[in-house]
Amino acid sequence: KRVAILLSGGGSNMVALLDSMTGDHPARPCLVMSNAASAGGLSKAAARGVPTAVVDHRPFGQDRAAFEAELIKPLIAAQADIVCLAGFMRVLTAGFVGLWTGRMLNIHPSLLPKYRGLHTHARALDGGDSEHGCTVHEVTPELDEGPILGQARVPVHADDTPDTLAARVLTQEHRLYPAVLRRFAGGSREPVLLP
Ligand code: GRF
């Protein structure tokens, strides 16, 4: 299976995914793409010999379809079978998502269905949650809605800030996403539930 990874930032999840696709793993990376030329993940991907691409969303303004018409091109050229969103911060339209039904994954930093959207760690703290975590799900047109493929849980500490909690969750993201991708690329949708 050929895996394309989309990111907007530093790409620590992308690195974890790249480093996991070795040996008898059923998938190999074929592309790392960003909407931002400044994304730190691009140089990390290049350093690992993975082809990269940038499609800057800014010239397209609010015309999401026009942006996505460009975004799809490197994915087709790379013959991607699976698309992993890893800190990709652009909302994708139903039209684009529909082309990847059952083949697009995302990692979200909360225990979905709790805290869809942004600022999940602050919201978990504000909510007084004793437990938090991250979720890998199939991407569907509804934001952060699709079938859950994996979750990892972390305790919330009384003295946590959004940053300390985010760091604890991120560590689990780097365990969860590779575990889910390996199982998913092998043809199973059995959820991965990490303690
Ligand atoms: C992480 O906070 C993750 O929860 C979310 O976006 C961020 C990605 O970080 N999906 P990185 O670019 O993978 O380091």
Side-chain angles (χ1 to χ4, degrees):
K1 294 287 183 186
R2 299 171 62 86
V3 174
I5 302 169
L6 273 56
L7 55 79
S8 299
S12 69
N13 274 289
M14 176 270 302
V15 169
L17 291 173
L18 291 191
D19 291 350
S20 75
M21 287 185 264
T22 60
D24 66 349
H25 194 296
R28 287 295 185 275
C30 64
L31 176 69
V32 170
M33 177 159 60
S34 182
N35 61 298
S38 59
L42 292 167
S43 56
K44 295 171 188 167
R48 287 164 173 81
V50 179
T52 61
V54 175
V55 179
D56 189 335
H57 66 278
R58 293 173 305 183
F60 300 96
Q62 289 310 309
D63 189 345
R64 292 183 187 277
F67 166 58
E68 291 170 353
E70 290 305 310
L71 196 70
I72 193 87
K73 291 176 180 174
L75 293 171
I76 301 300
Q79 297 177 293
D81 300 302
I82 297 171
V83 177
C84 290
L85 307 181
F88 186 68
M89 303 310 278
R90 303 303 298 169
V91 172
L92 296 167
T93 67
F96 185 87
V97 169
L99 300 174
W100 301 95
T101 301
R103 305 191 294 149
M104 181 178 281
L105 309 182
N106 181 47
I107 188 156
H108 179 76
S110 78
L111 293 174
L112 292 175
K114 292 190 81 170
Y115 309 128
R116 294 190 177 92
L118 298 173
H119 312 302
T120 61
H121 310 298
R123 289 158 66 193
L125 292 173
D126 293 346
D129 296 1
S130 58
E131 204 176 51
H132 187 42
C134 50
T135 303
V136 175
H137 63 95
E138 287 188 43
V139 175
T140 58
E142 290 298 308
L143 187 70
D144 301 331
E145 273 271 358
I148 290 175
L149 293 173
Q151 289 196 316
R153 295 172 180 278
V154 300
V156 178
H157 298 161
D159 60 349
D160 265 328
T161 65
D163 286 349
T164 60
L165 185 53
R168 191 171 312 122
V169 171
L170 194 59
T171 299
Q172 296 306 314
E173 293 178 33
H174 299 159
R175 296 177 62 224
L176 180 67
Y177 215 167
V180 170
L181 178 59
R182 187 183 190 96
R183 185 172 289 187
F184 187 81
S188 166
R189 282 179 164 75
E190 181 69 27
V192 174
L193 301 177
L194 297 183

